[in-house]
Amino acid sequence: MRVEPVTEDVLVDRLVARVLRHPPGDGTPGGATRLLVDGHPSTRPDALADRLVAPLCAAGRPVARVRVQDFWRPASLRLEHGREDPDALLDAWIDVAGLNREVLDAVGPGGPGRYLPSLRDPATSRSTRAAYVDAEPGLVVVLDGSLSLGRGLAVDLTAHLAVRAATLARRTTPEDAWTLAAYARYDDEVRPAGTADVVVRVDDARHPALVVP
């Protein structure tokens, strides 16, 4: 493998091109293409996902911009063992069944073709009361989240924003130091930098680099 330095604009262009090359719903008429952008919050997977929306729309593809944190499990469940449990952060925060049912499977092959943009407010854990949306033909679901690869989410393409453990430790505040154990387990068990379809090194956030097989 080699590492290819790219600008942020080139990175967006490459990801958009990768999505456009992918047949919607694995070639099933009416199915959506579902992209997951994964990365530690400090790598801003949300910002990269946001930047993909306009060029995809300009290419004629409708976009559903969805956030994993809007499908976290209720606080009573995800915080059952306290607010600083790294194992729960990795294993119990994401409502995988709900996200698949309401979004990813819903717009995929054989799904009903309507999705829920959000389920719960991540801050209050209350229902967002979002209305269902009909999926347009050729829809692209752009989903972002952390610790979200290898969880069983029904996606077609994955991108991972990778950083070294030392970089992660340096970027993590003392209040969030408890999360480092979750990310260490994630790297060891899921190996996101080896399993994602697109891997981007972002140890220097100003100079991303694509990992090229």
Side-chain angles (χ1 to χ4, degrees), residues 134-185:
D134 290 331
E136 299 178 62
L139 179 72
V140 178
V141 176
V142 178
L143 176 69
D144 80 274
S146 301
L147 300 171
S148 51
L149 293 175
R151 319 258 46 102
L153 294 174
V155 295
D156 304 298
L157 294 170
T158 56
H160 175 65
L161 302 179
V163 292
R164 297 180 180 87
T167 304
L168 198 59
R170 187 172 63 251
R171 291 181 182 176
T172 301
T173 65
E175 297 78 26
D176 291 332
W178 65 273
T179 67
L180 291 173
Y183 284 92
R185 256 193 68 201

Side-chain angles (χ1 to χ4, degrees), residues 10-71:
V10 168
L11 174 59
V12 169
D13 289 344
R14 296 278 185 89
L15 281 172
V16 168
R18 183 68 180 265
V19 171
L20 296 178
R21 290 197 303 269
H22 194 279
D26 281 332
T28 302
T33 298
R34 300 156 296 184
L35 168 69
L36 169 62
V37 181
D38 169 81
H40 185 271
S42 69
T43 69
R44 297 299 309 278
D46 56 333
L48 177 56
D50 286 344
R51 289 199 60 187
L52 300 175
V53 175
L56 284 169
C57 289
R61 299 291 293 275
V63 175
R65 180 68 180 89
V66 182
R67 295 165 175 79
V68 166
Q69 68 174 8
D70 291 333
F71 289 84

Side-chain angles (χ1 to χ4, degrees), residues 39 73 84 90 95 122 177 200 211:
R73 299 173 75 207
E84 298 185 357
L90 179 58
D95 184 353
V200 188
V211 177

